[in-house]
Amino acid sequence: ADIIKALKEHPEWLEELRKIILTTELIELPKKFEEMLERMKKLEKKVDKIEKDVEVLKQDVAILKQDVNYLKGEFGRIKGREFERTIRERYYAYFGKLLRKSKLIPFEEIIPLLDSAEDEKLITEEQRFSVLQLDLIVKGEIKVTKKEVYLAVEISYSLQEDDIEKAIERAGILAHIFKKEVIPVVVAVEIKEEIEKSAEEKGVLLIKTDF
């Protein structure tokens, strides 16, 4: 009780008493705790900034991927158009081993026949439109038999299964209209083994070229 009374009368002794009772580490602990809290706040700000930077980086990477995919698609389309143009301009060379007297049939000659066939209910509107999507129609004589035939040609740089199906379908429609043999043909550069086998099994003439 006397000690407490003395401390109340002399509060400056309290600090000295603390120094005696408490170690330096314990005395400085509140100050260190405050410093630690301050460092944690700064660290949280840095972490927040890093998280924001990472999010921005993710967005930039996503945009970059989109740009790369777009450029790949554009390059593929340009390559495909150039390939088709080359086949169209030099069709006689690509089909010369099969045909003699080969002739590229303009679609202007085909459209009236398609219109008449549709009017007479020989084909549907969808079938008419499908034939108009053909890449080439070539007429000629088979070299060996000299039989007159038409080629329904699909051109695809990288051959897909649906290219084969389209060639078969459109050749069938033309054969129905022309009352002549129409051979489904696909011309490609890149051909997977299983697709090549599929074309052979389905009776599609496959012409592989290095372009």
Side-chain angles (χ1 to χ4, degrees):
D2 292 338
I3 294 174
I4 294 172
K5 182 180 178 182
L7 289 174
K8 286 181 178 179
E9 291 175 354
H10 301 279
E12 68 276 8
W13 293 356
L14 185 60
E15 185 62 29
E16 292 299 322
L17 183 61
R18 284 198 188 101
K19 291 180 181 179
I20 295 171
I21 297 174
L22 302 176
T23 64
T24 303
E25 288 79 5
L26 288 175
I27 292 172
E28 294 180 352
L29 187 60
K31 181 181 178 182
K32 289 182 177 180
F33 184 72
E34 288 296 327
E35 291 175 351
M36 184 182 70
L37 288 178
E38 188 62 30
R39 288 198 299 271
M40 287 181 66
K41 288 179 182 178
K42 291 180 180 179
L43 182 60
E44 285 177 356
K45 290 180 180 179
K46 288 182 179 179
V47 170
D48 288 342
K49 185 177 184 304
I50 290 172
E51 288 179 347
K52 289 178 182 177
D53 290 343
V54 169
E55 188 60 33
V56 171
L57 182 60
K58 285 181 178 179
Q59 293 174 2
D60 290 343
V61 170
I63 292 171
L64 181 60
K65 285 182 178 179
Q66 290 177 354
D67 291 343
V68 169
N69 289 334
Y70 174 77
L71 290 174
K72 283 183 177 179
E74 279 298 295
F75 178 71
R77 283 186 285 273
I78 292 171
K79 186 167 60 175
R81 286 195 294 268
E82 180 64 18
F83 179 51
E84 183 176 336
R85 184 186 65 80
T86 301
I87 302 299
R88 183 183 302 277
E89 290 179 353
R90 304 188 67 247
Y91 71 92
Y92 46 83
Y94 288 95
F95 307 117
K97 290 183 178 180
L98 174 68
L99 299 179
R100 60 194 296 270
K101 298 181 181 179
S102 60
K103 177 186 176 184
L104 186 65
I105 305 298
F107 275 86
E108 289 81 1
E109 294 182 15
I110 301 297
I111 290 174
L113 298 175
L114 292 173
D115 291 342
S116 297
E118 184 183 355
D119 291 340
E120 295 171 13
K121 308 298 182 184
L122 297 176
I123 62 172
T124 64
E125 181 181 359
E126 289 75 16
Q127 288 174 319
R128 175 186 180 278
F129 180 75
S130 180
V131 170
L132 292 175
Q133 303 308 303
L134 265 171
D135 293 319
L136 297 179
I137 300 175
V138 179
K139 180 181 178 181
E141 292 181 357
I142 298 290
K143 277 189 172 183
V144 178
T145 63
K146 296 185 179 179
K147 180 182 179 181
E148 184 179 84
V149 296
Y150 289 85
L151 306 182
V153 184
E154 289 291 332
I155 301 170
S156 178
Y157 191 93
S158 181
L159 188 63
Q160 304 298 320
E161 183 67 34
D162 66 331
D163 294 317
I164 294 172
E165 299 301 330
K166 286 186 289 189
I168 294 171
E169 176 200 359
R170 292 163 183 174
I173 297 169
L174 285 176
H176 186 55
I177 295 172
F178 292 157
K179 307 301 181 185
K180 296 274 188 178
E181 182 179 358
V182 181
I183 301 173
V185 180
V186 289
V187 185
V189 175
E190 298 174 352
I191 306 172
K192 294 180 180 178
E193 185 177 344
E194 61 270 21
I195 296 180
E196 183 174 358
K197 184 178 179 181
S198 175
E200 183 180 348
E201 290 174 349
K202 294 176 180 178
V204 175
L205 175 61
L206 177 58
I207 297 177
K208 186 175 182 179
T209 176
D210 294 330
F211 186 19

